[in-house]
Amino acid sequence: MFNNYGQSFQEQRMQQLMEQKQMRDFMRMYTNLVARCFGDCVDDFTSSKLSEKELTCSKRCTLKNMKFNERIGQRFGEESAKLMEDQARLAQ
């Protein structure tokens, strides 16, 4: 069976599973980021607000981790492209 866009139910299900996995991966990355930056930067629990030092540390930590994850994504994309090219060459 196909839907209005020509996708089979299997393709739709696969797409749905991939989206769920991406969401889980994102949530895991976010949770790890929060835990790491909180653990590294927040050490004064006498106030309900972050100190200037804690705030600066948290921003730097977050930016550093986001850049790190972005770079990993780029490298993964590069390696995936190389792998696909290699497989295409072998298939010829």
Side-chain angles (χ1 to χ4, degrees), residues 13-47:
R13 182 66 181 141
M14 182 61 76
Q15 180 69 27
Q16 185 181 35
L17 291 172
M18 289 176 62
E19 288 171 4
Q20 289 173 350
K21 182 181 180 332
Q22 287 175 337
M23 181 57 77
R24 279 193 308 273
D25 290 345
F26 171 79
M27 292 305 294
R28 188 177 354 209
M29 181 185 73
Y30 178 77
T31 300
N32 290 339
L33 170 74
V34 169
R36 179 177 192 119
C37 293
F38 184 86
D40 287 352
C41 297
V42 179
D43 54 16
D44 180 9
F45 298 99
T46 60
S47 173

Side-chain angles (χ1 to χ4, degrees), residues 17-90:
L17 291 172
M18 289 176 62
E19 288 171 4
Q20 289 173 350
K21 182 181 180 332
Q22 287 175 337
M23 181 57 77
R24 279 193 308 273
D25 290 345
F26 171 79
M27 292 305 294
R28 188 177 354 209
M29 181 185 73
Y30 178 77
T31 300
N32 290 339
L33 170 74
V34 169
R36 179 177 192 119
C37 293
F38 184 86
D40 287 352
C41 297
V42 179
D43 54 16
D44 180 9
F45 298 99
T46 60
S47 173
S48 63
K49 295 186 178 190
L50 294 174
S51 69
E52 195 60 38
K53 176 184 155 208
E54 291 170 329
L55 189 58
T56 300
C57 178
S58 296
K59 286 180 180 179
R60 285 182 181 158
C61 180
T62 301
L63 185 60
K64 181 178 180 179
N65 278 283
M66 288 176 69
K67 285 182 179 181
F68 174 75
N69 284 312
E70 181 182 337
R71 183 65 181 137
I72 287 175
Q74 288 173 343
R75 291 291 296 153
F76 181 77
E78 292 167 3
E79 293 300 319
S80 292
K82 286 180 188 176
L83 181 61
M84 290 178 73
E85 288 172 6
D86 290 346
Q87 287 177 347
R89 262 187 299 218
L90 291 174

Side-chain angles (χ1 to χ4, degrees), residues 1-12:
M1 262 343 226
F2 290 90
N3 68 7
N4 294 340
Y5 303 108
Q7 290 182 315
S8 71
F9 289 112
Q10 283 183 321
E11 289 172 329
Q12 287 178 333

